[in-house]
Every structure is written in C-alpha cells, then in structure tokens.
Amino acid sequence: MIVPMKKVSLVVLNKERKEALTQLKKVGVVHLEQVEGKGEQLAAFKEAASNAMTAASILGEIKAPKKKGIAEVLSNEAVLEKCKTVLSLSDEKKKLMEEITASTTELDRFASWGEVTPADFDLLREKGISLKMYEIPEDKYSLIDENSKTVCVNRFKKTVRFLLLDAKDERPESFPPEAYEVPLPEKATSEIKKIISDSKERIASIDKELASLSVYVSQIQKLQKSLESDIEFETFYSGMGQEEEGKSTDLAWLSGYVPVDSLDELKNAAKENAWALAYDDPAEEDEVPTKLKNNKLVSLIYPLTDFLGTVPGYREYDISGWFLLFFTVFFGMIFGDGGYGLLVTVIALLMLLKGAASKQKASPLLSLVLLLGLATVGWGFVTCTWFGLTPEQLRNFGFGFLPDYSVKVLSNAFSKLPDGSDKIWALPWTAEGVGLTTAQNMQIFCFTLALLQLSVAHFKGMARYCKSLKFFGELGALLQIWGMFYVVLMMVVSGEVFAMDAIKVKDIPIGYIFVGLVAFGFALSFIFSNYDGSVIASVLESCKNIISVLLGVVNVFSDIVSYIRLWAVGLAGAAISDTVNTMAGPILGHAILFVAAIVLLVFGHGLNMVLNLLSVIVHGVRLNTLEFSNHLGMSWSGFKYSPFVEKEAK
C-alpha cells in the first residue's frame, strides 16, 4: 500500500534554525520540500565533495600495490589535502600525456629526415646560407627548374626529401605545386625525444605516488558521504524561509511531508523543542513523495523496482503484489528451463544458508532470486523442459518420471505423435481431426495471462471510481478486453477452432457475442472514460480525440497479442539449449574430447542463461511497466519518500 502523507509546516526562531534542523534530523521522519541553498559554506562543501568524489574515482582506477599496508587515520582536513594532491597529480599526468602526444606527432613528422636542429639552420643563415626543407613525389622531382639549387636528402616510399639552397621568403614560382615545404620544428628533434622520455619518467613517478595514495580510498569515500550529509544540511539551513533580520519576531520556516503513522513522533518533537507545527492533507498540486508499505512476501519485488527506478506516484496504485505475482510467472516462462531454475535455486539457497550461518539478515534480493528459481523449476515440470533434453534422453538418464508429471496440453513430452506429426488436442465443439497443437495451447496460455492481468487493471479502476460514472468507462474497457480476447484466439491461434460460430448460445454464435462486447465496451468507454462531473463534456472530449479513441480498440488487440512474447522468447531459449546439446552430443562419446564437450555445454548453457536473463529484463518487466500500467493509467511519475535523517556511517 501507499502510506498516506500529511503536509507539515514548521516555524522556529531564526536564531535556532541550526539547532532545529539538528533535532529534526534526529527525529528522521520528515521528507523536506526541496529548497535552493546559498552561501559560501554550501559552495565550499560542494567543492570539497566534488574533489573527494573525483579523487576516489581516480584512485579506484589505480592498480594498488600488492602490499598496501595500513593507512594512518587522518583528520578530515588532511584527507581533503590528500584529495587535492590526487587531483593535482592527475591534472599533471593529463598535461604530460597531452605533451607526449603532441611531441610524438611532431617527431613522426621528421622521422624520415633524421635529426633536425633549428639552431643549425639559423647558424647557416647567419653565414649567408639559407636552407628550406621540401618533400615532393618521386616522379615530380625531375620537374624542378635547374636554376633552383637543391640537395637531395633521401628517397623513401616514393617521396623525395630535399633542401632548397639560397631559399628566399617566397616560394619559387617555378616549383611544381606538388612540392611541399616542411616547416622547421620549434625545438630540435633530440630535445623533443628528451621531452618525451622525461614526461614518461614523470608519469611513472606520478603513478607510483597515486598508488601509494590508494590506501586512503576508504577514508576519502567516507569523507565524501559525510560531505554529502553536510551539503544536505547546509542546503536546508541556508534555504529556509525567513523574515528580514532585525525584526522582533524573527522567524524561519520549512515544509515537508510526514507519513501518517509517524506524525505523532513529529508532534512530540515539536512540543519538546517549542516549534510551531501545522499539518493538513496534501493539496492536489503538491508533489508528494511515495512511501510503500507491504508484507515481507510482497516486499521481495523492491530490489527489482529499485533497480529499475520505478516509483508509483502518490495518487497512483501500489501494484507491488501484482507486479511480483505476474513477474514471477513471466520469469519462469521466459527463463523457461527447469534445469536452469534448479541451478538458480541451489545457488540462492547456498548463499542464504551461508548468510544464516554468519547470522546475517537474509537479503531480499537473494530471497527474490530463490522465488524466481522455484518458479522456473515449476515451469520446467509443467512443460518438461530440463537442460534442453528430449523426453527420451530424460528417460535414458533415469528421469522418466519428469515427462509423466508434466501438463500434457503444454508439455514437450506430448507434443509429437510417434510418426513425428504435431499432436492435436481436440476441444468439445471441434470436428474430428480438428484441434490445437501444443504450440497453440501455449499461445492460449499467454493470452489468458493477458486477459487476467489486464482485467485486474480495470477491476482496480472500477473499485477506485465506484462512486463515479467513470466506473462505466472502466467497465467498458474491461468488456473490450474480454471481447478482444476471443478475437485474438480466432485471428492468431486458430480461425477453425475459434470460429465465429464455433459455439452457439441460444442460437447466437459465440463470436458475435464477443464482438458485441467489444462494441458495447467501446460505447461505454466513449461516453464515460473522460467523465469529470458532466457526461456531455466527457463525450465532447472523446469526440475531440476521436482518432486516439478509435486507435484504443486496436491497442487492446495489440496489448493482448503482446503477451505472446512469453512463449516466443522461451521457445528461442529452448532452441539454443537444443542446439548446444546437439553440438556437444557427438563428441561426448570420445574420451579425448570429453573435456571439450563439457566446456561447450557449460559455455553454451551459461550463455543461454545470460540471454534469458536479459530477455526477462526486457520482456518480463515491460509487460508489467507498460501494458499492465497503461491499463491502470499509471505513469510511474513518483519519487521515493526520503526523510531528513542522520545517515549511519559505514
């Protein structure tokens, strides 16, 4: 559930601002509204925190010495000095690397010329000998006018390098356009080499200094967290609303949000500290933080939603329970293989037992992994999918009971007849020889999940609007889903089995009944979905957005069909498992190649598990956060309740 909030305002004496904030931090229940801090102290904290973060990042990339030793415990001021030293060394290293790059580029320019010293050219010029360096394609060298005095330095890679004697400031008019004048370097090439060598030595020295400073990483990170806390405190301290200084009633105030079940704690603190406290329900325009409160089972989904950064808005739904339920099913279907699920389950159990042995609190993430592993094992039993092995192979390995315990209409063990053809599952109303394959049954299962989950969305909507005519808009959307479910079965699964007249109810073909549900549901949605006190205004709003309203019917169809991804992705994973087994099978019988076969199996199935995990994140999460959430009208626009509280030092 989403915990109800109260908007609170606190008024204190301006001179007691700091003490009030300190006490409020100890209470730790108020989510303060954002304010704009100011002042030199805040700027100093931000600069120090930035330096600490950058220094920790730099040292984190340095390979620390094997024998790091124990770092002396430094004061905060000393740690900040270490940060400045790290930043200074890093900046120096960056400049040296840039200088090496530029010098190397310059050196490469004269690689074919040998040693070049600008001072020698200056000396010759003083003695009346003016020289310039040129390069020209070998086949163009002969085109140079004989009146131009040149000295060939070398010929290399079809290029002639030569010196032009008695060179003037201007280029000789008779020179071929291909002749390129080589500007002299600013320094002698020998000096450039020395610069590169010295820079590399200095960089090596800097790396050693940084490596020696890496022992202070933990202290720098601890300081960074402390500074972040200081920044938060100083932001609220300097940003509190206050009257002009000098008045006899010099007051300061701030606002925030408190969970209803924590309001008494704030009341007691206000009474003890002589604060003025006012509270009320949040207004519609207020940006209220979201605090979720659920039982331990439902809370298992929190590690996933925290990773995704999805937080429902304060006035939206808490779908944590439904998210966990359907995501668990989706995970099992997409991960697909009971053998993979067994591995996940065993690993999670071992890690939980290890934590229990060391008296550590069970990690919610590990508990979630255990649940998902068990769901995958369950799906493996249903479909008889175990490491991609065929039912015959399972029986050969002594696991013949697995095919027998699978669900026949969904099981791989019963998907083929002895002649290799697809097994047909007849329904009561179908003619002889007409039925459904296992693949079609799996599609029906996926669409049934869609029907259930999307129906839940609109049942919740009907419950929310039970005292409003908007209830009928939600009912209309629900009827469209039910009617479109049969349309999907008819168009995607089998037009023969799910024909319009497959079954008749009082001589009315069932297909027409479901199409009628779509039409009637559309009418209800058209009239009432935008209801806000006036039916006419609701209808006009629908008319204004007639294109999107009509497309809404198509969206219902596509949303249901979208759930077929559960079967398709699982099928792809099963195909990869089968391919890996097929590749490894022929070489398993050879003793020499046995190890190679094991490596192939481990790598192939390991890669498949990673791909399946990515598929879960992409597809399993999407069905909850997109299709399901869209039908709930959720935008995940919320932000987490984060009270102003003292952070525990780690």
Side-chain angles (χ1 to χ4, degrees):
M1 61 171 282
I2 295 177
V3 178
M5 292 278 177
K6 290 289 185 180
K7 185 171 184 178
V8 299
S9 295
L10 286 170
V11 180
V12 301
L13 292 175
N14 195 14
K15 63 182 179 181
E16 297 177 356
R17 280 187 300 153
K18 185 164 289 188
E19 178 61 26
L21 278 174
T22 302
Q23 293 301 320
L24 193 63
K25 200 170 189 178
K26 290 180 179 179
V27 177
V29 297
V30 183
H31 178 109
L32 294 175
E33 286 187 327
Q34 289 298 314
V35 296
E36 186 176 347
K38 52 188 178 296
E40 294 181 2
Q41 184 65 60
L42 180 60
F45 281 145
K46 287 182 176 180
E47 182 182 3
S50 176
N51 289 345
M53 181 179 67
T54 306
S57 176
I58 291 169
L59 294 179
E61 297 175 358
I62 300 294
K63 187 176 181 180
K66 293 182 179 179
K67 295 183 179 180
K68 291 176 61 175
I70 300 174
E72 60 176 322
V73 179
L74 303 177
S75 64
N76 287 346
E77 292 75 15
V79 175
L80 280 175
E81 288 301 316
K82 295 291 184 186
C83 292
K84 291 178 181 178
T85 301
V86 170
L87 295 179
S88 175
L89 290 172
S90 178
D91 289 341
E92 184 184 355
K93 180 180 177 180
K94 183 178 179 182
K95 291 178 181 177
L96 288 170
M97 293 181 72
E98 291 174 353
E99 191 168 3
I100 288 174
T101 300
S103 297
T104 302
T105 302
E106 185 73 350
L107 204 58
D108 290 342
R109 198 160 63 89
F110 298 97
S112 300
W113 284 91
E115 293 292 336
V116 179
T117 307
D120 292 344
F121 283 77
D122 294 338
L123 181 61
L124 290 171
R125 187 177 299 108
E126 290 174 4
K127 294 182 178 182
I129 304 173
S130 179
L131 299 176
K132 284 189 178 180
M133 303 164 61
Y134 279 89
E135 293 181 356
I136 191 171
E138 191 173 25
D139 58 346
K140 302 293 183 180
Y141 185 55
S142 59
L143 299 179
I144 296 177
D145 190 346
E146 294 180 357
N147 295 326
S148 299
K149 299 177 182 180
T150 63
V151 177
C152 179
V153 176
N154 63 47
R155 298 172 184 263
F156 183 65
K157 291 185 178 180
K158 297 183 179 181
T159 301
V160 176
R161 291 159 191 85
F162 64 93
L163 296 173
L164 176 64
L165 303 179
D166 299 328
K168 299 178 181 179
D169 292 338
E170 295 182 0
R171 175 192 179 94
E173 294 182 1
S174 61
F175 257 37
E178 292 83 2
Y180 165 71
E181 182 181 348
V182 180
L184 288 171
E186 293 183 3
K187 300 176 182 178
T189 52
S190 57
E191 291 182 42
I192 296 175
K193 290 178 182 178
K194 182 71 167 54
I195 290 172
I196 294 174
S197 177
D198 291 346
S199 297
K200 288 181 178 179
E201 287 182 10
R202 178 55 185 153
I203 287 175
S205 174
I206 289 174
D207 285 340
K208 287 182 180 179
E209 290 184 63
L210 291 175
S212 67
L213 290 169
S214 64
V215 295
Y216 299 106
V217 168
S218 60
Q219 293 187 54
I220 292 174
Q221 291 173 336
K222 185 177 179 180
L223 175 63
Q224 181 188 344
K225 292 180 180 178
S226 174
L227 287 168
E228 288 172 354
S229 179
D230 291 338
I231 290 171
E232 181 186 38
F233 187 95
E234 188 64 26
T235 298
F236 289 119
Y237 174 72
S238 61
M240 287 178 69
Q242 52 188 298
E243 293 184 325
E244 295 180 14
E245 294 185 6
K247 287 191 175 182
S248 57
T249 57
D250 193 12
L251 302 175
W253 57 87
L254 48 76
S255 300
Y257 301 91
V258 177
V260 170
D261 53 9
S262 300
L263 185 59
D264 287 341
E265 294 180 50
L266 182 61
K267 286 181 179 179
N268 293 334
K271 185 176 181 180
E272 291 174 6
N273 294 280
W275 300 334
L277 171 65
Y279 57 89
D280 199 357
D281 292 329
E284 190 69 28
E285 65 274 9
D286 286 333
E287 295 183 1
V288 188
T290 302
K291 180 182 179 182
L292 300 178
K293 184 178 181 181
N294 289 291
N295 58 46
K296 289 184 178 180
L297 176 61
V298 175
S299 299
L300 293 180
I301 198 63
Y302 290 168
L304 177 63
T305 53
D306 289 344
F307 170 75
L308 297 171
T310 52
V311 181
Y314 178 70
R315 294 175 179 83
E316 294 182 338
Y317 300 98
D318 175 19
I319 60 169
S320 300
W322 294 110
F323 198 128
L324 177 64
L325 172 63
F326 285 104
F327 180 76
T328 302
V329 176
F330 298 160
F331 185 97
M333 293 179 67
I334 293 175
F335 220 67
D337 194 296
Y340 295 170
L342 198 59
L343 289 176
V344 172
T345 301
V346 170
I347 292 172
L349 275 174
L350 290 175
M351 295 183 71
L352 285 170
L353 290 173
K354 181 180 177 182
S358 58
K359 296 182 180 181
Q360 292 181 354
K361 187 178 179 181
S363 166
L365 177 59
L366 282 178
S367 301
L368 175 62
V369 171
L370 176 61
L371 175 64
L372 298 177
L374 291 172
T376 309
V377 172
W379 187 250
F381 272 108
V382 169
T383 60
C384 190
T385 307
W386 302 91
F387 293 112
L389 298 173
T390 64
E392 292 75 17
Q393 290 171 326
L394 288 172
R395 292 187 178 94
N396 292 337
F397 290 133
F399 296 97
F401 64 93
L402 293 176
D404 297 333
Y405 283 111
S406 60
V407 178
K408 290 187 176 181
V409 295
L410 299 175
S411 174
N412 295 318
F414 301 94
S415 62
K416 298 288 184 182
L417 289 171
D419 61 0
S421 60
D422 288 336
K423 187 90 171 181
I424 290 184
W425 302 98
L427 295 173
W429 64 82
T430 57
E432 185 178 350
V434 177
L436 299 168
T437 65
T438 303
Q440 289 173 317
N441 288 331
M442 192 66 73
Q443 294 171 17
I444 294 172
F445 184 78
C446 294
F447 297 145
T448 303
L449 284 175
L451 177 67
L452 291 173
Q453 189 174 29
L454 300 183
S455 294
V456 166
H458 292 290
F459 276 126
K460 290 179 75 68
M462 291 165 64
R464 165 171 282 192
Y465 300 115
C466 61
K467 296 181 180 180
S468 167
L469 290 180
K470 202 168 184 177
F471 169 91
F472 294 104
E474 291 290 337
L475 176 61
L478 179 67
L479 294 178
Q480 287 184 71
I481 290 171
W482 289 354
M484 198 61 74
F485 173 72
Y486 190 84
V487 175
V488 169
L489 296 182
M490 179 176 60
M491 297 183 66
V492 178
V493 179
S494 173
E496 189 176 16
V497 175
F498 299 101
M500 290 287 286
D501 57 352
I503 305 176
K504 292 185 178 180
V505 179
K506 293 185 179 180
D507 296 329
I508 302 175
I510 191 171
Y512 291 105
I513 294 175
F514 281 103
V515 172
L517 286 178
V518 175
F520 183 60
F522 174 79
L524 287 176
S525 295
F526 188 87
I527 297 171
F528 298 106
S529 61
N530 298 305
Y531 180 79
D532 190 17
S534 170
V535 174
I536 295 176
S538 177
V539 173
L540 290 175
E541 186 66 25
S542 295
C543 291
K544 188 190 303 182
N545 302 296
I546 187 64
I547 301 299
S548 59
V549 170
L550 291 173
L551 288 176
V553 181
V554 180
N555 288 338
V556 173
F557 177 87
S558 64
D559 286 346
I560 295 175
V561 172
S562 181
Y563 282 70
I564 203 172
R565 70 183 66 235
L566 297 170
W567 166 70
V569 176
L571 190 65
I576 293 175
S577 296
D578 182 62
T579 301
V580 172
N581 292 342
T582 301
M583 292 171 62
I587 58 177
L588 272 173
H590 301 278
I592 300 176
L593 299 175
F594 183 78
V595 175
I598 296 299
V599 172
L600 175 60
L601 286 171
V602 172
F603 175 77
H605 285 291
L607 178 62
N608 195 23
M609 290 180 70
V610 172
L611 293 175
N612 286 343
L613 182 61
L614 293 175
S615 297
V616 168
I617 295 174
V618 173
H619 301 289
V621 169
R622 172 204 161 101
L623 293 175
N624 280 293
T625 57
L626 190 60
E627 278 82 356
F628 183 43
S629 298
N630 282 346
H631 283 262
L632 283 165
M634 290 182 62
S635 60
W636 299 99
S637 59
F639 56 98
K640 288 184 71 172
Y641 164 73
S642 180
F644 184 59
V645 64
E646 292 181 336
K647 306 293 192 300
E648 294 183 5
K650 295 184 179 179

